[in-house]
Amino acid sequence: MGDSFYPLLGNGGYDVLHYDIDLDVEPSTNTIDAVTTLTAVATEDLEEFNLDFLGLEVNAVSVDGVEAEFSRDGQEMTIQPVDPLSAEAQFTVAVSYSGMPQPFDEVGVPFFPMGWHSMNEVLFTVSQPSGAMTWYPSNNHPTDKATFTFRITVPDGVEAAATGLLIDESSVDGQTTTTWQMDDPMATYLAAVYIGDFERHEQQMANGLLIRDYVPRNSDPSVLENLAAAPEAIGFFEEILGPYPFDVYGTIVMPFALHFALENQTLSIHGLYAIDPYVIAHEVAHQWIGNSATVDDWSQIWTHEGFAHYLGLLFVADFYGQDIESIMAREYRDLTLAGTSPPGDIEVHELFDPDTVYRRGALALHSLRNHVGDDIFFHTLRTHYDQSAGGNTNTDLFLEIVDDLAGTSAVSLVESWLYDPEMPGIVSGPTL
Ligand code: ARG
Ligand code: ZN
């Protein structure tokens, strides 16, 4: 796919339509026995093709039901079907594999290993940007989205959850299997599985959207109370960006601290102490910006994090009755003290840099807003979202929309925030 930060992620020659991920999990040993079946379309004649898959033992691979040769080299798995595939042919690849999944260190995410984790009797996945390949074989790049089915088998009494809608639950011989369906396109990094001693809580929003949350069993009641910010944030962002893009939402709270939260599609993961209204709203905002409208290259990450940071702060301003001008003035001051580099031109180690990517990205949007006024600003945000919903975006696509709706002086202003080595002056608006 030629990603500028992760050139090995993703593979050409085919387009995945659907992943069927069948995981038989033994939590006591943190081992899995799995079959992942991809349905894909060849985009050219293929004698062989690659999947991204790292670690675990591959037991067999078949293409359209016929056993195929494969070889592995690091994260690249090369598969040679007995009969070459012709362009436009739809085909299935089934990979069966087993073992103990291992997380790995990722240069863009120095604060937490990537992939499948076992911590304090919880199994969970953290796959942004590249960790999916530690637990299922895929075309691991956000430009190849697909629908997903997850089938997770665990011992009775253990709770399993995944991204998507729970559509089936059955128990045989002391093992419970839950099936989860994601019918909207999802990038591989947003798929997630969680297994542990959780309680499920369900409610419905007034507009019918199902909210299902997971908290550690016997949590303090305040944990669940905190999660009430999520449906509020959904309502708030629907006003700005339009209808919530998926069939369900929820928060899963780990029984331990994590130094981040992550917006896995329809079921965000939060550490025990990261469930305040800001963090909850930030992950909710990502469901539109990041999950539905997704970068086409990891270097474009400010279009997720700058936007989600600003949207999260807008929610917080509303939630606490604070003034966004003073919140952004505080952000500007903190950022000036911290020193900063431009978010439009980062290096991979800055992927989640809170100053460069989150704060300066959000200040770019806030300055645009004060330059053009609320009507044009929110119309621009909404138009950009609408044009990339269900697919991909990047900085240039955003700037084209800024140009169309707000004109060239607005483009120059945003570009100075995105690309100038020095930080521009904040464009302030009226303080209420
Ligand atoms: N996208 C996350 C956020 O909402 C940051 C997650 C970083 N951690 C990770 N393992 N990718 O800000
Ligand atoms: Zn974020």
Side-chain angles (χ1 to χ4, degrees):
M1 295 297 188
D3 191 87
S4 44
F5 286 172
Y6 299 105
L8 291 182
L9 289 185
N11 308 282
Y14 63 94
D15 175 23
V16 182
L17 306 177
H18 187 75
Y19 292 91
D20 188 294
I21 301 175
D22 196 321
L23 300 175
D24 201 326
V25 183
E26 182 42 64
S28 64
T29 53
N30 183 28
T31 50
I32 66 174
D33 201 351
V35 181
T36 290
T37 306
L38 295 75
T39 305
V41 175
T43 54
E44 55 190 79
D45 292 344
L46 293 173
E47 297 206 344
E48 56 176 45
F49 60 89
N50 279 25
L51 297 177
D52 300 307
F53 196 42
L54 183 65
L56 292 166
E57 176 91 17
V58 174
N59 307 314
V61 176
S62 65
V63 176
D64 290 331
V66 180
E67 185 137 358
E69 297 277 326
F70 66 91
S71 61
R72 302 183 69 186
D73 181 10
Q75 68 190 64
E76 296 298 327
M77 180 158 92
T78 305
I79 297 171
Q80 252 178 355
V82 172
D83 296 319
L85 299 159
S86 18
E88 289 172 39
Q90 183 170 321
F91 62 101
T92 61
V93 195
V95 180
S96 58
Y97 53 100
S98 56
M100 187 189 297
Q102 301 288 344
F104 66 95
D105 289 326
E106 171 57 77
V107 57
V109 191
F111 48 88
F112 203 73
M114 273 288 97
W116 178 286
H117 290 266
S118 167
M119 265 172 79
N120 302 25
E121 316 212 323
V122 177
L123 307 183
F124 62 101
T125 61
V126 169
S127 299
Q128 188 190 31
S130 52
M133 61 196 179
T134 66
W135 59 283
Y136 69 98
S138 71
N139 193 25
N140 199 11
H141 194 267
T143 48
D144 191 359
K145 296 187 182 188
T147 55
F148 283 71
T149 306
F150 303 87
R151 215 166 300 101
I152 309 168
T153 303
V154 291
D156 286 351
V158 175
E159 193 76 23
T163 38
L165 206 51
L166 176 62
I167 56 163
D168 193 53
E169 179 158 13
S170 65
S171 181
V172 179
D173 292 340
Q175 299 279 313
T176 300
T177 301
T178 48
T179 306
W180 306 78
Q181 192 67 29
M182 172 62 68
D183 282 334
D184 292 297
M186 178 161 74
T188 51
Y189 79 92
L190 292 167
V193 164
Y194 314 92
I195 294 163
D197 194 16
F198 293 100
E199 268 169 24
R200 179 165 83 220
H201 292 267
E202 293 193 350
Q203 55 173 309
Q204 229 167 12
M205 286 179 57
N207 66 7
L209 180 68
L210 174 66
I211 305 288
R212 43 101 180 87
D213 296 314
Y214 289 85
V215 300
R217 196 170 300 287
N218 304 319
S219 290
D220 190 273
S222 65
V223 174
L224 202 58
E225 284 159 22
N226 279 313
L227 305 190
E232 276 192 57
I234 291 171
F236 184 81
F237 297 135
E238 284 191 326
E239 295 287 321
I240 297 175
L241 295 166
Y244 177 77
F246 307 119
D247 291 334
V248 58
Y249 186 69
T251 307
I252 183 164
V253 182
M254 296 294 115
F256 43 78
L258 286 175
H259 300 293
F260 60 90
L262 182 59
E263 64 264 24
N264 293 322
Q265 191 156 309
T266 72
L267 189 51
S268 299
I269 179 172
H270 288 243
L272 185 53
Y273 307 107
I275 48 174
D276 58 87
Y278 167 74
V279 184
I280 287 173
H282 180 109
E283 306 314 329
V284 168
H286 273 310
Q287 304 304 311
W288 286 260
I289 306 294
N291 297 4
S292 177
T294 312
V295 289
D296 64 3
D297 188 284
W298 283 109
S299 63
Q300 309 292 300
I301 191 71
W302 88 274
T303 66
H304 292 184
E305 300 303 349
F307 283 59
H309 187 45
Y310 191 53
L311 289 163
L313 292 174
L314 289 178
F315 176 75
V316 160
D318 182 71
F319 188 88
Y320 293 114
Q322 292 169 354
D323 167 28
I324 189 69
E325 273 321 316
S326 36
I327 292 177
M328 296 314 288
R330 184 197 66 207
E331 292 286 297
Y332 187 80
R333 192 191 54 227
D334 292 352
L335 188 51
T336 313
L337 289 173
T340 172
S341 46
D345 192 16
I346 57 167
E347 290 175 23
V348 62
H349 68 268
E350 298 170 296
L351 197 62
F352 296 110
D353 187 292
D355 294 322
T356 295
V357 171
Y358 289 64
R359 288 207 163 108
R360 189 159 157 176
L363 280 158
L365 296 177
H366 185 66
S367 289
L368 172 64
R369 176 183 176 182
N370 282 335
H371 181 75
V372 300
D374 282 5
D375 285 355
I376 293 179
F377 174 72
F378 285 107
H379 185 45
T380 302
L381 274 197
R382 176 75 177 259
T383 305
H384 172 248
Y385 170 68
D386 284 343
Q387 288 195 10
S388 32
N392 296 99
T393 187
N394 57 42
T395 305
D396 287 343
L397 286 172
F398 177 65
L399 288 175
E400 271 173 37
I401 292 164
V402 173
D403 194 20
D404 281 356
L405 300 178
T408 51
S409 72
V411 173
S412 310
L413 175 71
V414 177
E415 282 177 340
S416 69
W417 282 93
L418 296 183
Y419 301 118
D420 283 3
E422 301 78 43
M423 195 160 71
I426 186 171
V427 179
S428 299
T431 14
L432 302 171

